[in-house]
Amino acid sequence: MPFCQSKCPYCDFYSFKSSQAEIEAYSSALINSIDSWAHKLKSSVDSLYFGGGTPSQAGADRLAQITQKVYQAFNSGGQEILEASVECNPSDTGSKDVMFDFEKLAQAGINRISLGLQSALDEERAALGRLAGVKEAGEAIKRAKAAGIDNISLDLMLAIPGQTKDKLRHSLEFCAQSGAKHVSAYLLKIEESTPFYKVKDKLNLPDEDAGAELYLFAVEKLESYGFKQYEISNFAKEGYECYHNLKYWQTKPYLGLGPSAHSFIDGKRFYYPENLSAFLDGQEPHDDGKGGGIEEFVLLALRLKEGLVEKDLKEKFGIEIPPSMRKQAEIFQKQGLMVCDEKKIALTARGFLLSNPIISRLLEEM
Amino acid sequence: MSAEIKKENIRNFCIIAHIDHGKSTLADRLLELTEAVSNRDMSSQLLDDMDLERERGITIKARAVRLDYKAKDGETYALNLIDTPGHVDFTYEVSRSLAACEGAVLVVDASQGIEAQTLANTYLALDHDLELVPVINKIDLPAAQPDLVAAEVEEVIGLDCSQAPRVSAKTGENIAAVLDRIVQDVPAPGGDSKAPLRALVFDSIYDSYKGVIVYVRIVDGKIKAGDTMTMMATGAAFSVVEVGHMHATQVRPTAELTAGEVGYICASIKTVDEARVGDTVTLESNPAKEALPGYRSVNPMVYCGIYPADGADYGNLREALEKLRLNDASLTFETESSGVLGFGFRCGFLGLLHLEIVQERLEREYDLDLVTTIPSVIYKIRLTDGTVVEIDNPTHYPDPTLIDSCEEPFTSAHIYSPADYVGGIMELCQDRRGIFKDMTYVSDDRVDIHYEMPLNEIIYDFFDSLKSRTKGYASFDYEVTDYRKSDLVKLDVILNGETIDALSFIIHAEKSYPRARRIAERLKEHIPRQMFEIPIQVAVGGKVIARETVKAMRKDVLAKCYGGDITRKKKLLEKQKEGKKRMRQFGSVEVPQEAFMAVLKLDEN
């Protein structure tokens, strides 16, 4: 759902401000696309994820309608969608002058909300260009819960301008007290195409070491609140790991609809280009090469706390973890960056911070 | 037909200018106007035919071109434009080009006025008794003040500017006036066509079809195909295959070249080394008694190791160097090997710019990834057993206990500058161990500062420092004069416990501490943080005199990796692999090429 009320200065996703008419047109195109893909794929779905942009901009009615369409087109045999998430902005869903009908969503089968909290400090939220305050975020959580949606995830940002451990602690405590079941905590990356990039030297960004410390602090705190880390940036209460997102890291198939959405089906990766009108015109997605190879499997598995499990590798590719890779992993283990045992090799929190060079090094031994 | 022009109608000239004052553009316009080359054929700035020259705005190798111009008097003149290189490393080549001329067009930018090289070039031209033709260029610029600049030229250089053409080489305005001034003011060449042949070699190039083409100015006598010519400095003899004139887009063979003419000779010459710039060509049958004055054997002054970043490119690097050498007699190279860099070449250059040019051409034209070691001069080292060794590679520096004494090359250096900068220049020269000789005012506010300076202080970014201290207004010239005793030591760089032989260099003992500190700091800045902490040490004979540490990397992570990010993540890993290739692996430490360059360019400020 490539719509946003306003563009945040750090964001390089494909999204823009749109009129109701445009959102309407887009929803129809999406529904057509759902129909045609269901016809083509002839398989059911067990998870659904509305990402963005800001799906909540489309309003509960349209989201419910699209969800129903997915059920009808893909799961006509009565199969259940185990997890159906909608990304929401506090400004759309928690402001006192806005009515967002969580109940309608719940009735349509949505059972998970991912809320763009980013920070529980209004000054930090404002610096990040977020429209609403912490109060609205709290209100949105309350309303969702009241509608029976208790699987709530909060997005946090780490290493944002001026962030200190104390400020971060405040946001982490908010997550713990809000009753959320899941937290995604992302280290801010300054992307070249964003307004932040142009002024990055004036942003008072935490340096590399401070950023690393903030991340480790977040991991430690979240764990202490019962949010167990299961991926580089993801933490959940027992049993609340995001079923949908795990599929990406386990190289399972997925279908992404809408401009800039990516898919992985039958070993092929493809995507709709960042071009709304092309999507509205019903243009075919672009090929993005083969996927699901062993390198990809390894690099994605190593994003998970569980790591690269030998049994999985054997099942999928018929090989064990190469001894030279194991040896390299053991060197990293001595540096406190990995943990290794007979069953698996996995990164530690400190290792996650260095996951690019570590994974790259390990893949040299593939 | 071009060959029929009589000697009185020949004009041999060059164009001199401060960098960016429009020398090449003016040359283009002259070519255009004489219809030597149609507009269509002109990729702008024809005279500078290497990309690199165009980018740096300097002419690296001399070229010459003949323009046939019908003047107002109805006569057709042969105007030979001889291009000159514009940097101190090539002073000798410039002097030979000037020696082939009777006149020089002095181009001055109407918005900037006289600048550093304007004056240095003027003196060089006057040294060669050239008639100067001042031209005020860039009158199209809004900031142009042609009257003021003309007055400045009259006052500072003492050159009559009442007739000086005011032109815009860019728009082509008033270019014909320049040609008319050349015809009017530059004297026709002298020389005796009946005397024994004496032809000055001012350039030679290698052509894959014709072999070496020698560019000459015939001073006396004549030469034709079938003659046997002799190079007076080397004594080598060759059979002449073809002589002719160089026109803008082609060469035109002619029956003979006679006194006063500028042209080319093709003979059975295989390498440019056999036709050295400044040598005199004569005929075996009727040799001249005396060679033309000014010949100098040009020897490399600066050496460095050039290694392929990828060892597999060693053969390609050799081939590329061999090809460059076909056209560059002053480049030398021989095989060497380094403990950390593998196999490469020890290369000799005229100076640091020459080095940089060769390095860039290798990378650009031959698509090679290179690692270049710190340049060195040739040191003479007397050992305790009485033998003397010459060292151009710090790796071969003897054990200090075996050294009796060291000598290093000294230069006589002249810096021309506006008087305002004298303080800064002298400070720089003192800092570079210069010995002040004298200072003369060449005009009210221009000085010629004369220093004796060690060459090894010049090769490390002296020219860059000079430019930055004088806002680019100073020009600089040097000549190696002698060797002097000196207190030298070798600095070794140790990364993570391993000595990096490619970074070792020889330096005056007094400067070793501050230099060592700066090297350590620079390396720290330029070596990216890696997975572990890297100690940087700089040592003299095993004693560590500077130390820094590159902290271990803490954070390099793709925080978001969902459906659409997986391809991106894969590409990121590819890129990381590519990035690694640009790094040099020293034991466990990866050092980027920039770190080497940073150590080399230790700006003093």
Side-chain angles (χ1 to χ4, degrees), chain A residues 186 208-209 212-213 216 233-234 245 248-249 254 262 269 288 290 296 299 303 332 352-358 360 363-364, chain B residues 529 531-532 551-574 576-577 580:
Chain A
Y186 302 111
E208 179 176 339
D209 296 277
E213 289 303 326
L216 294 177
S233 306
N234 285 283
N245 284 345
Y248 299 128
W249 305 315
Y254 53 92
H262 288 63
R269 295 198 177 278
D288 199 17
K290 277 191 187 162
E296 205 177 276
L299 81 87
R303 292 188 66 85
F332 287 134
F352 282 144
L353 275 170
L354 292 170
S355 49
N356 285 344
I358 290 176
S360 163
L363 282 178
E364 282 175 28
Chain B
R529 293 169 72 166
M531 301 276 290
F532 44 85
K551 283 196 289 184
M553 183 188 354
R554 290 294 305 280
K555 181 162 80 77
D556 181 0
V557 51
L558 189 68
K560 281 192 185 186
C561 188
Y562 298 105
D565 307 305
I566 292 167
T567 318
R568 186 160 99 159
K569 169 85 183 173
K570 280 197 286 188
K571 279 181 188 146
L572 191 87
L573 287 175
E574 291 294 312
Q576 225 151 21
K577 258 187 234 167
K580 254 190 158 162

Side-chain angles (χ1 to χ4, degrees), chain B residues 38-92:
Chain B
S38 72
N39 267 319
R40 195 162 39 80
D41 285 348
M42 278 190 60
S43 89
S44 74
Q45 308 198 349
L46 242 170
L47 237 47
D48 296 343
D49 66 358
M50 287 187 277
D51 281 353
L52 203 61
E53 289 186 23
R54 216 163 284 170
E55 259 170 49
R56 291 185 172 232
I58 52 171
T59 308
I60 296 161
K61 289 290 286 180
R63 292 282 186 282
V65 62
R66 171 165 168 167
L67 318 170
D68 290 326
Y69 178 59
K70 196 159 184 192
K72 283 184 188 145
D73 59 10
E75 295 266 326
T76 298
Y77 290 83
L79 311 182
N80 292 307
L81 165 57
I82 296 172
D83 199 18
T84 55
H87 187 273
V88 286
D89 282 357
F90 304 101
T91 305
Y92 171 69

Side-chain angles (χ1 to χ4, degrees), chain B residues 91 110 145 147 170 265 317 384 397 404 485 536 567 599 603:
Chain B
T91 305
Q145 293 183 298
D147 292 338
K170 194 171 143 208
I265 303 172
L317 175 56
T384 45
Y397 196 74
D404 176 61
K485 265 199 181 163
I536 301 168
T567 318
V599 170
D603 203 301

Side-chain angles (χ1 to χ4, degrees), chain A residues 100-139:
Chain A
F100 186 85
D101 194 346
F102 279 108
E103 268 170 41
K104 187 157 251 166
L105 281 191
Q107 281 161 16
I110 299 297
N111 57 14
R112 185 174 183 271
I113 295 297
S114 171
L115 197 64
L117 175 69
Q118 317 310 355
S119 160
L121 288 165
D122 281 342
E123 61 187 81
E124 284 184 341
R125 287 185 54 82
L128 292 169
R130 309 298 293 188
L131 294 174
V134 180
K135 210 175 108 208
E136 283 76 9
E139 180 61 23

Side-chain angles (χ1 to χ4, degrees), chain B residues 15 85 134 159 214 269 282 295 327 369 373 385 426-427 521 572:
Chain B
I15 304 176
L159 209 55
V214 188
I269 307 175
T282 189
Y295 174 74
N327 257 328
D369 252 349
T373 66
D385 66 4
M426 290 183 68
E427 199 180 52
E521 284 162 12
L572 191 87

Side-chain angles (χ1 to χ4, degrees), chain B residues 152-351:
Chain B
E152 190 183 30
V153 172
E154 292 201 343
E155 190 194 313
V156 175
I157 303 179
L159 209 55
D160 176 14
C161 283
S162 56
Q163 305 268 339
R166 289 145 190 227
V167 308
S168 166
K170 194 171 143 208
T171 65
E173 191 181 343
N174 205 24
I175 298 301
V178 178
L179 293 170
D180 289 332
R181 285 325 319 161
I182 292 168
V183 168
Q184 290 280 314
D185 296 346
V186 175
D192 178 358
S193 58
K194 294 194 179 64
L197 174 70
R198 291 201 299 172
L200 171 68
V201 178
F202 61 84
D203 197 9
S204 61
I205 61 159
Y206 179 82
D207 179 278
S208 46
Y209 296 104
K210 299 196 168 189
V212 172
I213 301 173
V214 188
Y215 289 168
V216 292
R217 156 71 192 275
I218 312 290
V219 176
D220 291 320
K222 50 183 75 169
I223 185 168
K224 61 181 189 305
D227 285 344
T228 300
M229 65 184 238
T230 321
M231 308 302 305
M232 292 186 78
T234 62
F238 304 96
S239 158
V240 177
V241 178
E242 182 183 311
V243 300
H245 301 120
M246 296 75 71
H247 292 264
T249 52
Q250 85 225 79
V251 294
R252 289 190 201 146
T254 175
E256 61 177 16
L257 293 174
T258 66
E261 283 193 286
V262 169
Y264 69 91
I265 303 172
C266 294
S268 47
I269 307 175
K270 289 196 188 65
T271 71
V272 286
D273 207 19
E274 294 172 302
R276 296 185 189 165
V277 170
D279 203 348
T280 304
V281 180
T282 189
L283 291 183
E284 194 180 54
S285 54
N286 182 17
K289 286 197 186 64
E290 247 181 84
L292 295 162
Y295 174 74
R296 228 161 66 185
S297 159
V298 181
N299 293 316
M301 291 293 168
V302 176
Y303 287 80
C304 81
I306 295 185
Y307 291 81
D310 178 353
D313 275 335
Y314 174 77
N316 296 335
L317 175 56
R318 171 184 286 280
E319 214 169 282
L321 282 166
E322 277 165 358
K323 280 192 188 146
L324 285 186
R325 184 160 159 72
L326 286 175
N327 257 328
D328 186 350
S330 35
L331 168 69
T332 66
F333 62 93
E334 57 184 53
T335 315
E336 77 167 5
S337 67
S338 143
V340 283
L341 296 176
F343 285 98
F345 297 92
R346 193 77 191 161
C347 302
F349 308 92
L350 295 175

